[in-house]
Amino acid sequence: MLKVFDEFRERLDRVMIKAFGQRVALWGYGYTGRFLEWYAEYYHSIEMDFVITQDWSARIPYHFPLFRDTVFDFDYKDIKDAIVWLAIPEDESVREKLQKAGYIKNKTYFNFLEIVFGDGR
């Protein structure tokens, strides 16, 4: 396999194995979110416990438990104990929402856009 694909899979796998035995909240279900959901299920048998999205269109399969980001405000189904996978850009409002809920970057929440593409520096 190409070296770049090996590196890509290694980056994903390094984070995903931290989710074994944990609830997983996927925040964002665009192209990146759909890929992460497929990859986690296909290669690691990890299923999403929460899908957090602002998009309520018919493109999202009905078998997912869909939530808005306000789920963090109510501690629904112990979401505070879940690992969060960000599949959206981490702006100040996202960072603030997660920190207020007690999440710590690269410990209990992971920004997959940075993991795959780098932090842009």
Side-chain angles (χ1 to χ4, degrees):
M1 190 177 282
L2 293 174
K3 183 179 177 183
V4 70
F5 289 128
D6 287 337
E7 182 182 337
F8 176 72
R9 289 197 57 197
E10 210 280 349
R11 286 181 181 196
L12 293 178
D13 294 344
R14 189 175 354 156
V15 174
M16 288 188 175
I17 62 172
K18 295 176 183 180
F20 289 150
Q22 305 278 335
R23 287 178 171 264
V24 178
L26 176 63
W27 192 345
Y29 201 72
Y31 292 119
T32 302
R34 282 182 274 193
F35 173 77
L36 291 174
E37 182 268 326
W38 169 81
Y39 188 93
E41 171 68 27
Y42 188 83
Y43 286 105
H44 301 291
S45 299
I46 297 172
E47 294 185 11
M48 301 302 108
D49 295 291
F50 306 92
V51 173
I52 301 165
T53 184
Q54 298 301 102
D55 180 12
W56 292 84
S57 67
R59 295 182 309 201
I60 299 176
Y62 291 113
H63 69 273
F64 284 128
L66 299 177
F67 299 92
R68 298 237 188 238
D69 62 357
T70 55
V71 71
F72 296 112
D73 300 332
F74 303 107
D75 191 28
Y76 180 74
K77 288 190 175 182
D78 294 330
I79 193 167
K80 71 179 180 329
D81 298 327
I83 299 290
V84 176
W85 292 351
L86 281 181
I88 60 172
E90 182 182 351
D91 61 14
E92 188 60 39
S93 65
V94 169
R95 193 175 307 111
E96 185 178 306
K97 175 74 79 173
L98 289 169
Q99 289 174 349
K100 185 177 178 186
Y103 289 95
I104 302 166
K105 187 171 187 170
N106 296 327
K107 199 169 192 92
T108 53
Y109 85 90
F110 301 90
N111 183 337
F112 274 90
L113 297 178
E114 283 182 9
I115 292 165
V116 172
F117 300 114
D119 61 5
R121 294 180 202 180

